[in-house]
Every structure is written in C-alpha cells, then in structure tokens.
C-alpha cells in the first residue's frame, strides 16, 4: 500500500526545491527550461525511469499574455472614437474578437503574428509486464506557472466585476460607434458639433455614455503583469500536480505487480499550460497516430491545495468540453471513499481551461482532479502562490484519491477480459 504520509512529505520537498532553486516558470521562459531539466533528473531519480522530453514551438504571449495589449487597444479605440468612429469600431471589435478567440477559447489563429520560443513536455512510460498493451493509464500535470494577476491579488472580490466592466466597455464602444455611423456622425466630434445639428437623444448619448466605461477598459490593461519578478511561483498551480503524479508513478514502478499485465502507465508533465494548453495540445499532436492514445484514460491533476475543496472537474465550458461520464463517476466515488468531499465534490472549470481538454477532444477518457477554492483568491495566478500556504494533509488525500482511481480503472479493464 502506498505510504500517503511519506509520499506527501516527499511532494512538499520537491515543491520547495523547484520553488527555491528556480521560482516562477513563465511559459517558454528560461526558467521553464531550467525546471524541465530539474524535473527530468527528478523523474529519473524518483520514479526510476528516464523520461522522454519532447520539444515544441509556442508563441507564449499570444493568448492570455496578450490581454493587457487588448486593453491598450481598447483605450486607443476610445480616443479614436471621438476622431473617427469607424476606426474605433474596427479596432475595438478586433480587440474583443482577439480576446475571445485567443484568451478565452484558446484558439491559435493569431499565433503566427507572435515570436515563437521552445518549450517541452516530459513523460515516463512504464511498459506492461506482459509486453502487450491493452490500455494506457496516463496521469499528468503542468509544470509552468502563471503571470501575476494584480487585480485579483489586490482584491479578489472585485476582480471579476472589474474585468466584466472592461469587456462591457469595449462592447459599448462598438455599439455606440455603429450608431454614430448610422446617424451620420462618422467624423471628429468637434466637426460634428460645429457643422451639423447635434440635437436629439442619440448624438448626446453616444457622445457621453462611453466615458463611463473608461476605467473598466483600463482595468483590462492591468489584467496581468509581464514582470518576471512578480510572476507566480506556481507552488499550488501546479507543482502540487507534478509532485503528486511523480509519487504515484514511483509507487507503481516499484510495485509493478499492482498493475494488470496489459496496463501501460504514463506520467507526464506539460509545458505552457498557462499559454493556452499548448503543451498538452502538442502532446496530442505528437501521439495521435502512434497508438499511445488508444484506449487511454487520462487523469489530470491541477492544484492540490485547499483542504475543504476537493473536486472532480467535470468539464471546460469555455473550451466546449464535457469530460467522460464514467471517469467522472469513478473519480467522484474515490472522493467519497476517501472522505474528502467537504464543500464541492463536482464543479465545472470556472475559468480558462485545463490539460484534460485536449486529450478529451482527441478521444481519450479524461477527467481532472483538483483541490482549490473555485472562487477568485489572492493566491491563484499571483505572486502569493507559494509553498508556505500548502498543507500536506491535502496531499495525502490527493494521493489516495489518485491511487484509488487508477485501481478502479484497472478493475474496469480487467473485468472486460
């Protein structure tokens, strides 16, 4: 049986080592590369298997990292609005479309316009004892960390309202600009006032209403900071997931008899999750045709931190993904058996996306395990995500849930024979 307490202590040791020796690991940064090298050595020493390292190209700033630039574009559009409304509409609409498609839905349509850098995924493979693979159990987490989100750090309760305020402001700018064009005021405001009648409701409404939303558009420029010194150390998000999956892989490699003969176990660490799930997408692209994803079960682990908030993440609404129902049911059953359902138990991902989604979309039976308060907090994607707020009791329960879930998958597959 897995020694949960000892493994939890070992998890904390690894988290503190990466945090102290490397610190924040922004997507495709030099620090992310150093973390990959450190973790490669840890995989070999801890799990007992030399990891495979696969490189991929990525535009790290193109998605979430570009949100402040969209905010700057919104402010420029506001100035243009009083000079040439059509230009303001075009720019504001582009900024809104860019943010929706790149920072919310995580497409890659504008990646081509951004500088590319190298990132990498790491994974170990414990081959089946019998030599023949009937199915694959894959466990994974991301090892990069996030940019600092100053608005959330300063006041988590007002973070979402401020961002919503800014988005509405961009929409208002577009709508009012269209109205100005329709009523024949597509000209500098001073010219419109001097040369045409400026009577009636709509001209004055369109002249004044957008001003109300300037602070909101400014908030968008403050969504995140590109300053490496302020970046998140990523202790919770997601060194906890990396350390947990590594401990599980170590246990099964040292106790191979606990895996059925046809089970292949893969333990993965993805890069650039914070840049729009780029690492897990690259992994799917690399292995979609080599058989690794055939009859594959993927357990993603993301943020094992908050003792009262163990959760099965059932899907990514913003990525149009609802995870495998059987995996969700098995994972929830493991939470019940472990006794760690205290407040939530099941949630959909409240923001962004997670690494289960690309594998789910590739036909893998996927689910995500988390233990994180699902509301805005001052330690999510901020400089406060440090090891000193973590509790190994949470790690112990996370290890047990993962161990039980792998065994349930094995029991299911063994029952087919």
């Amino acid at each position: 049986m897995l020694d949960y307490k000892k493994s939890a202590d070992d998890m904390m040791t690894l988290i503190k080592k990466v945090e102290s020796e490397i610190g924040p690991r922004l997507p495709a940064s030099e620090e992310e590369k150093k973390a990959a090298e450190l973790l490669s050595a840890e995989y070999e020493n801890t799990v007992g298997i030399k990891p495979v390292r696969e490189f991929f190209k990525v535009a790290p700033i193109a998605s979430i990292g570009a949100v402040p630039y969209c905010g700057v574009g919104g402010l420029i559009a506001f100035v243009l609005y009083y000079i040439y409304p059509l230009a303001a509409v075009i720019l504001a609409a582009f900024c809104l479309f860019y943010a929706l498609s790149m920072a919310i839905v995580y497409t890659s349509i504008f990646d081509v316009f951004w500088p590319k850098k190298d990132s990498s995924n790491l994974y170990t493979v414990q081959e089946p004892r019998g030599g023949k693979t009937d199915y694959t159990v894959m466990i994974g987490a991301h090892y990069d960390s996030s940019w600092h989100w100053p608005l959330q750090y300063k006041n988590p309760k007002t973070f979402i309202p401020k961002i919503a305020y800014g988005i509405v402001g961009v929409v208002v700018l577009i709508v009012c600009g269209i109205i100005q064009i329709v009523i024949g005021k597509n000209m500098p405001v001073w010219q419109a006032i001097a040369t045409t009648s400026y009577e009636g409701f709509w001209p004055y409404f369109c002249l004044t209403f957008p001003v109300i939303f300037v602070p909101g558009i400014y908030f968008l420029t403050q969504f995140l900071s590109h300053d490496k010194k302020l970046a998140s150390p990523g202790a919770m998000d997601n060194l906890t997931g990396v350390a947990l999956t590594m401990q599980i892989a170590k246990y099964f490699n040292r106790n191979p008899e606990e895996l059925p003969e046809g089970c292949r176990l893969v333990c993965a660490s993805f890069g650039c999750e914070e840049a729009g799930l780029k690492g897990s997408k690259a992994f799917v692209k690399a292995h979609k045709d080599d058989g690794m994803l055939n009859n594959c079960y993927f357990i993603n682990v993301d943020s094992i931190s908050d003792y009262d908030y163990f959760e099965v993440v059932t899907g990514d609404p913003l990525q149009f993904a609802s995870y495998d129902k059987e995996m969700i049911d098995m994972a929830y059953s493991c939470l019940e058996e472990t006794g760690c359902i205290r407040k939530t138990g099941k949630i959909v991902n409240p923001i962004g996306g997670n690494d289960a989604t690309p594998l789910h979309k590739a036909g893998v039976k996927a689910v995500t395990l988390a233990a994180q308060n699902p509301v805005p907090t001052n330690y999510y994607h901020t400089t406060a995500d440090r090891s000193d707020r973590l509790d190994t009791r949470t790690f112990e329960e996370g290890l047990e849930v993962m161990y039980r879930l792998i065994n349930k998958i094995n029991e299911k597959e063994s029952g087919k024979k």
Side-chain angles (χ1 to χ4, degrees), residues 40-306:
S40 292
E42 290 291 332
Y43 267 112
E44 192 163 4
N45 294 334
T46 300
V47 179
I49 303 174
K50 185 175 178 61
V52 178
R53 187 174 178 187
E54 293 178 342
F55 290 87
F56 58 92
K57 290 287 186 182
V58 63
I61 304 295
S63 60
I64 297 172
V67 171
Y69 302 128
C70 292
V72 171
L75 290 178
I76 294 171
F78 175 79
V79 174
L80 285 175
Y81 176 76
Y82 291 98
I83 302 172
Y84 190 49
L86 178 59
V89 169
I90 293 171
L91 179 56
F94 173 77
C95 291
L96 184 63
F97 176 74
Y98 187 102
L100 290 174
S101 62
M102 296 293 289
I104 295 180
V105 182
Y106 292 166
T107 72
S108 300
I109 58 177
F110 293 107
D111 281 8
V112 67
F113 299 108
W114 292 89
K116 303 295 190 301
K117 293 186 178 181
D118 289 319
S119 184
S120 62
N121 296 322
L122 318 168
Y123 65 94
T124 59
V125 180
Q126 182 178 340
E127 297 291 355
R129 285 180 292 136
K132 178 179 177 294
T133 300
D134 295 322
Y135 64 100
T136 298
V137 176
M138 182 177 172
I139 56 180
H142 70 90
Y143 68 93
D144 62 316
S145 66
S146 171
W147 294 275
H148 175 62
W149 289 12
L151 296 178
Q152 182 165 241
Y153 180 66
K154 293 175 183 176
N155 192 336
K157 291 182 179 179
T158 63
F159 170 66
I160 290 179
K162 285 177 178 176
I163 297 304
Y165 180 25
I167 294 171
V168 171
V170 175
V171 173
V172 165
L173 205 57
I174 295 169
V175 172
C176 287
I178 292 173
I179 293 172
Q180 289 278 61
I181 294 166
V182 169
I183 64 176
K185 298 295 189 292
N186 186 33
M187 60 186 72
V189 62
W190 58 88
Q191 182 179 340
I193 293 174
T195 62
T196 67
S197 172
Y198 225 76
E199 298 176 353
F201 172 77
W202 287 112
Y204 283 105
F205 175 83
C206 292
L207 181 67
T208 58
F209 191 57
V211 177
I212 298 172
F213 296 91
V214 172
I217 299 174
Y218 171 76
F219 290 144
L220 296 179
T221 71
Q222 304 302 301
F223 180 81
L224 60 79
S225 168
H226 290 102
D227 187 348
K228 280 188 178 184
K229 295 178 182 177
L230 293 176
S232 169
M236 171 189 77
D237 184 15
N238 189 25
L239 288 176
T240 57
V242 171
L244 189 150
T245 57
M246 195 177 290
Q247 288 299 315
I248 292 290
K250 177 182 77 171
Y251 176 79
F252 281 110
N253 190 46
R254 294 183 181 181
N255 300 273
E257 70 283 356
E258 288 208 27
L259 290 175
E261 285 195 0
C263 176
R264 171 173 55 192
L265 182 66
V266 177
C267 177
S269 287
F270 301 118
C272 285
E273 188 262 4
E274 303 290 2
L277 314 181
K278 293 299 193 292
S280 50
K281 288 180 178 181
F283 185 89
V284 167
K285 183 177 180 180
H287 296 285
K288 60 184 177 65
D289 297 322
D290 66 5
M292 183 177 283
L293 304 183
N294 294 345
N295 198 18
C296 179
Y297 299 81
F298 177 54
I299 308 167
N300 182 52
V301 187
D302 201 333
S303 301
I304 303 299
S305 165
D306 298 344

Side-chain angles (χ1 to χ4, degrees), residues 379-393:
Y379 53 84
Y380 174 64
H381 285 185
T382 76
T383 192
D385 183 5
R386 300 180 180 276
S387 61
D388 55 11
R389 57 166 301 275
L390 301 177
D391 186 340
T392 55
R393 294 180 308 157

